[in-house]
Amino acid sequence: MKMIRIIPCIVFFLSAALSTAYAQTTQTIRGKVVDEVNKVSLPGVSVVVQDTNLGTVTDTDGNYRIDNVPVGRQTVQITYVGYEPQQLANIIVTAGKEVVLNINLIESVTALDEVVITADNKADKASTNNDLAIVSSRSFNLDDTKRYAGALGDPSRMAANFAGVIGGNDSRNDIVVRGNSPTGMLWQLEGLNIPNPNHFGALNSTGGPVSMLNNNNLDKSDFMTSAFPAQYGNATAGVFDIRLRDGNNQNTEFVGQVGFNGFELGAEGPLSKKSGSSFIINYRYSTLQVFDALGIEFGTGANLPLYQDLNFKLVFPTKNGGKFSFFGLGGVSSIDLLGSKADLEANNDLYGDENQDAYPRYKTGIMGASYEKRFGNTFAKFTVGMSASAETYSADSLVRNTDGDVTDRFLQGEADFQTRKLSWVALFRTKFDSKNSLHYGIYADAMKFDLFNRNVYANLGSDSVRINIDDNATLLQGFVTYRHRFSEKFLAQAGVHTQYYSLNEQAAVEPRAGIQYFLTPRQSISLGYGLHNQIQSPYTSYVQTKVGAGEYITTNEKLDFTTSNHVVLTYDWNISDQLRLKAETYYQSLSNVPVERNASSFSALNVGASFAPSNMDSLVNNGTGKNYGVELTLERFFSKGYYFLITASVFDSRYEGSDGVERNTAFNTKQVLNVLAGKEWCVSRSKGAFISASIKVTTIGGKYLTPVNFELSQQLGRTVYREDKAYSDRQDAYFRTDLKLSYRREYKRSTMEFSIDLQNLTGNKNVFDQSYNPRTNSVVTQYQQGFFPVPFFRYTF
C-alpha cells in the first residue's frame, strides 16, 4: 500500500529523466581572495580551472572572475608567492547559478616559492572556517546537506553521519555527541549565540523535527565535538557555528523547490551592482498538508504538523573596505497531537498519547546586524542582535469507556514560555607576522525569561504550578587565544575563555590549548585540551516546589555551572588527494552536575532524553559523569563520480547520581557504525543530464531504558518507572538503511533537480521508548519511524 502511494513520485522522477531540452554547457566562477587572519585583499593571485585552459589573476581588490566554465564538477587551483597553495576539488558548476568562491589563503612560514599541494581550503572537508579548531571538528556546506541520504537538507541530520555523533531519534534532529545530552550543544549564527533554530522546539532542547535553517542560505559552516577553541563557551557537548552566504552581487537568481521540508521560494541578487550590495531571501511553507491530502503517510499518524519560516541576509560593502550585513531567520510551528484520533490497535504512537490531546506551539525569531573591517593588521567584526522564542502548550486528559470511545475530557496542564535576548559581540584577529597571531573577543547576552507551567489534577480539584517567573539575567563571555607557527610542520596555541552569569553571580576561567605536528606532508597528530562550563537552563533554575496551600519557593536558582574537562588526541592521514583516514581518542570528565539532594538516580546529564522538561527541585551540584572512546573515519571525497564516508565509534558514557551508584547515561549506546556512499553518472554531457544514488546504512548499539514499574503503574493508572534500576534495560540494536535517487538536468540558463529519499528502506522497527497503557493494562513499546518516502524537486534559474 505504501509503495503504491509513492508510484506517482517515481513516475514523475523517471519522466524527468526522459526530457529532451537543450542544455547550457558553461557557467561563471568568481569570488575574492584574502589573507586568512587579517582578511587583507590579495592582488595577483593565480586562479586556474584544472584540466582546462581557463584561468585568471585577482585584481587590486583581490577579486577574480572566470567565464565559460563547463558545467559538471571542476577543480580550482590557487597559487600565490609567499602563501600556501590551495586546490578546491569537485566544485559543482550548474547552469542555474553562478559559483562564488571566496578563498582564504594561509601565509607560508618559510617558503616563498610556489608549490602546488592540497592544503587547507574551502572545499576540503578536513578544514574549518575557524583555523583554531584543530581537533574534533570539520566543516560542512550546502552540497553536504543535499547529497547525503537521510539528511533532508538539515545540518543536524547531516552531522549524524560524523564520527561520535548519534541522532537522538528519528522524529527529531537532536544529536548526541560522544554520550552527552543534546542540551549541551551551542548554536551560533553569524557569531551570535542563538536559541533553538528548529520547528517544534522547546525551551529545554536544541533540536526539533524540522530545521528552520534553510540550506539554500548556508555558507561553509563548522561543527565541533570536543575541546573546541576559546572563542566558544557555555557548552559542554558540541558547537554548530553556522554561516549564511552573501547573495549574488552581479546577477539575480531564483530557486523554487518542494519536498518534505516544505514549499520553498528563494531569490538573490544585487541591490546595487555599482556598490556591490546584495540580498538573499528564502521562504518555506509546510508541504505535509499536501502529502496528507494525497494519502501519503509521513510518520505522524493523525497529527498534522504546520510550519513556515523565512531566512535572509543583506550585504552592503562600504567605500573604505568595510562591510555591513543584516541577517535573520524566523519560524512558527504548530501541531495538534490528538490521542482522541489515535489508532488504538497500533498502540505505538511515537508522537502522542492515546489518553491525551495536546496542543504545542512554537516560534522563534532572530535578527542581527554586523560590521566588519580591517584596521592595519587587525581584522574586526562587530555584531548586535536580538532573538526571542515563544512556546505554548496545553493538554486535555481523555476519559474513555470500555469500548475505547472518548466520553469526557479535562484540562491536564498548560505552559507558556517566553524568552528574549539582546546580544553584542566583538571579535578581533591580529596578525603580527606569518608565524604569530592573536584572536580575542567579547560576548554579552542580556536575557529575559517569562515562564509559566502548571499541572492540573481534576480528580483532586487542585493544581501544581511548577514554574512561574518573570526575571532577567546577563551572561558575559570573553576569550583570547595566541597562536604560534614554529614551522610549516608544527604549531601551538593557548588561550583562555571566561564567563560570568548574573543569576548565580558565578564566574569561571577556562584554559584551552592545542598543538599540531605534521609527521609528513600528509600525516599529522594533534592534541587538544579544554575546560568548559555551562549555565543551567532557565527552567531548571526557576522550577519551584510547593510548601503550602498556594505557597511556593525556588530551590535551584543558585546552582553552579556544570563543568567539563575535554582531552582529545587526533591522528590524521591524507592517504591521497581524495582519501583520508582520521582516528581520535578522547576522555571527558564532568563535575558539578545537578542531582537531587536526597539519594536518587536522577542526574541533569540525562535531561534531553525526552520531550518534556525536568521538574526536579532541590538540586545540588554533586553529580559526576564521564565519556571516553575511540573513533575512526575513512572518507573518500567526491572524485571520478563517487564518494564514501565510513565512521565508527566505540565509547562508554557513565554517570553518578546522589545515590553514588555508577550507571549508564540515557545516551550510552556503546557503539555506532555509519556507512555512506554515493555515485554520480553523466547520462548526457551535451544535454547536461546527471543521475546519482546515495545510500546510508546505520547501526547503533541498543539504548538503555529505565524499566516500567508495572505493579505501581497499575495502581496509579499512569507510567511509573523503576528509578532504582535507571537505564539498566538494554534494547535491541538500532538499524536503518536510507537510499536517495537523484536526477539533475542543466538547461540553457537554469537547473532542474529531482530526487526521492527512501528512508528506513527495510522498515526496521527500532525501539524508542516504553510506557504503561492503563486502557490495555500493559507495558507498550513505542517504535521509531518506519519506511518513509520523501520526494523532492528543485529548480534554480
Side-chain angles (χ1 to χ4, degrees), residues 367-440:
M367 292 187 66
S370 66
Y371 176 69
E372 58 185 66
K373 180 176 168 47
R374 184 175 60 87
F375 301 93
N377 288 328
T378 297
F379 173 78
K381 182 176 181 180
F382 305 95
T383 307
V384 295
M386 61 179 65
S387 59
S389 66
E391 177 189 355
T392 61
Y393 174 87
S394 65
D396 295 335
S397 183
L398 306 177
V399 178
R400 295 182 181 272
N401 59 23
T402 54
D403 295 326
D405 299 324
V406 176
T407 58
D408 200 0
R409 65 176 62 219
F410 54 86
L411 182 65
Q412 187 180 51
E414 57 184 351
D416 187 356
F417 304 142
Q418 309 282 334
T419 65
R420 292 173 292 280
K421 180 164 64 176
L422 296 176
S423 301
W424 181 80
V425 181
L427 302 176
F428 305 91
R429 292 197 297 270
T430 298
K431 181 178 179 180
F432 301 110
D433 52 41
S434 63
K435 293 186 176 182
N436 299 283
S437 61
L438 192 68
H439 302 241
Y440 48 104

Side-chain angles (χ1 to χ4, degrees), residues 36 87 106 118-141 144 148 162 220-224 483 516 518 522 524 526 570-582 584 633 635-637 645:
E36 182 185 47
Q87 184 172 291
I106 302 172
T118 300
D120 184 21
N121 59 71
K122 192 177 181 70
D124 181 5
K125 303 302 186 297
S127 69
T128 54
N129 289 320
N130 192 324
D131 61 318
L132 300 178
I134 60 175
V135 297
S136 301
S137 60
R138 67 167 294 159
S139 65
F140 62 92
N141 55 31
D144 294 330
Y148 291 174
F162 301 156
K220 179 181 175 184
S221 301
D222 293 345
F223 176 65
M224 301 165 224
R483 188 182 203 193
Q516 185 176 54
F518 281 84
R522 292 186 178 273
S524 67
S526 304
T570 302
Y571 170 73
D572 209 331
W573 179 20
N574 288 306
I575 301 171
S576 68
D577 290 347
Q578 288 80 37
L579 190 62
R580 177 189 181 212
L581 174 68
K582 182 179 180 180
E584 285 197 317
T633 298
E635 181 169 15
R636 188 187 195 277
F637 303 126
L645 173 64

Side-chain angles (χ1 to χ4, degrees), residues 355 706-723 770-780:
N355 299 305
T706 301
V708 174
N709 187 328
F710 180 76
E711 291 76 15
L712 192 55
S713 298
Q714 192 177 39
Q715 294 176 26
L716 299 179
R718 58 181 175 83
T719 304
V720 180
Y721 293 100
R722 290 283 309 273
E723 298 298 341
Q770 292 179 337
S771 60
Y772 172 75
N773 187 323
R775 180 181 61 83
T776 61
N777 189 31
S778 63
V779 174
V780 296

Side-chain angles (χ1 to χ4, degrees), residues 303-590:
N303 311 309
L304 188 62
L306 305 175
Y307 53 87
Q308 55 185 316
D309 54 62
L310 180 74
N311 291 220
F312 72 89
K313 186 177 182 182
L314 310 175
V315 175
F316 300 91
T318 61
K319 293 182 179 180
N320 60 2
K323 184 173 78 172
F324 282 103
S325 299
F326 300 89
F327 58 91
L329 71 83
V332 296
S333 51
S334 63
I335 185 172
D336 294 344
L337 300 171
L338 302 178
S340 56
K341 295 185 178 181
D343 181 356
L344 301 183
E345 297 300 322
N347 203 28
N348 63 348
D349 189 0
L350 173 61
Y351 289 85
D353 181 344
E354 67 174 54
N355 299 305
Q356 179 189 84
D357 279 354
Y359 307 92
R361 306 288 185 265
Y362 186 75
K363 58 184 177 181
T364 289
I366 302 161
M367 292 187 66
S370 66
Y371 176 69
E372 58 185 66
K373 180 176 168 47
R374 184 175 60 87
F375 301 93
N377 288 328
T378 297
F379 173 78
K381 182 176 181 180
F382 305 95
T383 307
V384 295
M386 61 179 65
S387 59
S389 66
E391 177 189 355
T392 61
Y393 174 87
S394 65
D396 295 335
S397 183
L398 306 177
V399 178
R400 295 182 181 272
N401 59 23
T402 54
D403 295 326
D405 299 324
V406 176
T407 58
D408 200 0
R409 65 176 62 219
F410 54 86
L411 182 65
Q412 187 180 51
E414 57 184 351
D416 187 356
F417 304 142
Q418 309 282 334
T419 65
R420 292 173 292 280
K421 180 164 64 176
L422 296 176
S423 301
W424 181 80
V425 181
L427 302 176
F428 305 91
R429 292 197 297 270
T430 298
K431 181 178 179 180
F432 301 110
D433 52 41
S434 63
K435 293 186 176 182
N436 299 283
S437 61
L438 192 68
H439 302 241
Y440 48 104
I442 299 173
Y443 295 84
D445 294 314
M447 300 169 283
K448 182 173 176 57
F449 313 111
D450 188 355
L451 312 175
F452 175 79
N453 184 23
R454 72 169 180 141
N455 298 326
V456 179
Y457 308 103
N459 57 331
L460 300 178
S462 66
D463 66 1
S464 178
V465 179
R466 302 306 301 157
I467 190 169
N468 186 13
I469 193 71
D470 185 354
D471 202 359
N472 56 76
T474 300
L475 178 64
L476 302 176
Q477 301 178 77
F479 74 93
V480 61
T481 299
Y482 173 72
R483 188 182 203 193
H484 179 70
R485 300 172 66 199
F486 293 91
S487 67
E488 301 286 358
K489 292 184 175 182
F490 181 49
L491 69 84
Q493 60 193 38
V496 64
H497 178 276
T498 62
Q499 66 183 41
Y500 170 80
Y501 189 40
S502 65
L503 181 63
N504 60 7
E505 299 180 331
Q506 185 185 9
V509 178
E510 306 167 351
R512 313 282 176 87
I515 57 173
Q516 185 176 54
Y517 182 76
F518 281 84
L519 303 169
T520 71
R522 292 186 178 273
Q523 298 182 75
S524 67
I525 55 172
S526 304
L527 179 66
Y529 166 76
L531 176 65
H532 307 268
N533 287 275
Q534 184 176 25
I535 66 175
Q536 308 306 328
S537 78
Y539 192 97
T540 298
S541 297
Y542 291 113
V543 72
Q544 58 189 21
T545 182
K546 197 170 187 177
V547 294
E551 218 179 313
Y552 298 88
I553 60 170
T554 58
T555 58
N556 297 340
E557 205 166 330
K558 296 302 180 181
L559 282 172
D560 291 342
F561 302 145
T562 296
T563 301
S564 172
N565 276 279
H566 292 192
V567 180
V568 183
L569 178 64
T570 302
Y571 170 73
D572 209 331
W573 179 20
N574 288 306
I575 301 171
S576 68
D577 290 347
Q578 288 80 37
L579 190 62
R580 177 189 181 212
L581 174 68
K582 182 179 180 180
E584 285 197 317
T585 183
Y586 63 89
Y587 183 85
Q588 178 186 13
S589 173
L590 294 131

